[in-house]
Amino acid sequence: MTRLLTLSLALAAAFGAHAQDYPSKQITLVVPFTAGGPTDRVARDLAEALRKPLPGATIVIENVAGAGSSIGAAKVARAAPDGYTLLINHIGMSTLPSLYRTLPFKVETDFEYLGIVNDVPMTLIGRPDLPANNLKELLGWINQNKGKINLANAGVGSASHLCGLLFQSAVKTEMTPVPYKGAAPAIADLMGRQVDVLCDQTTNTTSQIEAKKVKAYGVTTKAPLTTPALKSLPTLASSGLPNFEVTVWHGLYAPKGTPAPVIAKINSAIKTALKDPEFIKRQEALGAVIASDQRIEPAGHKQFVQAEIAKWSPIIKAAGVYAD
């Protein structure tokens, strides 16, 4: 018993010293998508903001793209649990278990949850010559054109793909999915009248909506947005699709087994970063909303992801969509 107590005290002291010295070497923040995309931009802004509450920290971004973010996530799950390899991922973290029949990790048990960072709203948009001018008219048009509607997305498992699945479920109408290799070509074909409808992040659609190159039908948040270009758009929930809500949230993760004191220190740094004026300014420019609820706590973050898994699983399974 004495030896066990001595060992426990020694481990506690070691973990405490580890947290006190943290960070003492380079931190790698893995982005499971290509450079230049929305998640990559959030990661780089966050890395800059984290350097202030973690004095002397060197944070490098490593883009490990592929398989709907699962390759990058797997790399972090396998990394040493010391707080020096972290993952930033979006809503895909909650849909991977349903989209992939097999994964090299378990979302709920192979990671330590560090906190949600932001929410990026989405917009439902249509080709510029679509006859419908508001959601009510769009729903009528959809009802009249069942079996003829092309619904674009940025690829299987992308945020726009998920929003599209939710939209089809909400209107109880199957549409022909048209997947692209990213949001840019999907929006280009929407503007070119090659596809009919798309639901995508404000980071990708705001400029086209502002320039009136597409028709906008609403936002996917509970309340209207304050962004100048989007503040006149109603919410989909208030315009005919009750409870329709989806945002592209981003959260941070560490490998399972990362010492609790290190997790606490990272979480504290995240909370400080979320109050950084420059970070807030950059996120607002992307149309993102800074997280400010219980999800910024590790426990709240995990509970939220579990709820999101429960939300998306039946929708994805009902659609019969698999990425592998």
Side-chain angles (χ1 to χ4, degrees):
M1 181 65 72
T2 302
R3 289 181 180 179
L4 288 175
L5 178 59
T6 301
L7 179 59
S8 298
L9 291 174
L11 288 174
F15 287 161
H18 189 103
Q20 186 175 358
D21 295 339
Y22 181 87
S24 59
K25 60 180 181 179
Q26 176 179 291
I27 299 171
T28 298
L29 180 57
V30 174
V31 178
F33 303 99
T34 55
T39 300
D40 182 70
R41 294 174 67 182
V42 173
R44 293 176 190 277
D45 288 346
L46 181 63
E48 184 63 34
L50 284 172
R51 291 188 179 100
K52 297 176 183 178
L54 296 173
T58 299
I59 304 175
V60 299
I61 302 297
E62 182 180 357
N63 296 93
V64 185
S69 80
S70 65
I71 294 178
K75 179 172 183 175
V76 175
R78 295 191 301 265
D82 55 11
Y84 290 98
T85 303
L86 307 177
L87 170 71
I88 183 169
N89 204 354
H90 63 19
I91 189 174
M93 199 68 169
S94 66
T95 58
L96 286 172
S98 299
L99 283 171
Y100 288 81
R101 292 184 175 90
T102 59
L103 284 173
F105 57 84
K106 294 182 179 179
V107 171
E108 296 184 64
T109 58
D110 288 349
F111 297 92
E112 301 291 352
Y113 289 69
L114 303 175
I116 292 291
V117 175
N118 68 8
D119 294 285
V120 181
M122 304 189 77
T123 50
L124 180 66
I125 57 178
R127 53 184 167 83
D129 63 337
L130 208 61
N133 294 307
N134 54 53
L135 183 63
K136 182 178 179 180
E137 292 180 3
L138 177 65
L139 296 180
W141 179 82
I142 288 173
N143 190 52
Q144 294 171 3
N145 290 274
K146 290 184 177 181
K148 304 176 184 178
I149 302 167
N150 293 322
L151 177 64
N153 67 63
V156 175
S158 66
S160 59
H161 177 223
L162 298 174
C163 189
L165 290 178
L166 186 63
F167 181 60
Q168 291 180 87
S169 176
V171 299
K172 297 179 174 58
T173 301
E174 289 188 12
M175 304 175 194
T176 302
V178 184
Y180 290 82
K181 293 182 179 180
I187 293 175
D189 271 9
L190 187 73
M191 293 190 293
R193 302 170 174 81
Q194 302 302 308
V195 289
D196 300 312
V197 187
L198 169 70
C199 184
D200 206 359
Q201 303 174 57
T202 55
T203 49
N204 298 324
T205 64
T206 299
S207 60
Q208 286 78 15
I209 292 173
E210 191 171 22
K212 300 187 184 305
K213 293 182 179 180
V214 297
K215 285 192 174 181
Y217 296 103
V219 295
T220 63
T221 49
K222 287 183 179 180
L225 302 179
T226 58
T227 307
L230 304 174
K231 64 181 181 181
S232 63
L233 284 181
T235 66
L236 296 178
S238 67
S239 303
L241 296 177
N243 302 316
F244 193 102
E245 182 185 0
V246 56
T247 60
V248 182
W249 44 267
H250 292 88
L252 260 67
Y253 307 81
K256 185 68 176 179
T258 300
V262 175
I263 293 172
K265 193 162 187 178
I266 297 172
N267 177 253
S268 177
I270 291 172
K271 292 175 183 176
T272 300
L274 298 187
K275 297 177 183 178
D276 183 272
E278 185 60 30
F279 179 72
I280 294 172
K281 179 180 178 181
R282 290 181 179 182
Q283 292 304 291
E284 288 179 343
L286 295 175
V289 179
I290 302 296
S292 60
D293 55 17
Q294 73 277 5
R295 297 175 304 156
I296 64 175
E297 300 290 348
H301 179 185
K302 186 170 186 177
Q303 289 172 359
F304 174 68
V305 172
Q306 291 172 329
E308 286 284 276
I309 291 173
K311 170 184 176 179
W312 288 107
S313 178
I315 294 173
I316 292 171
K317 289 180 179 178
V321 177
Y322 294 99
D324 60 345

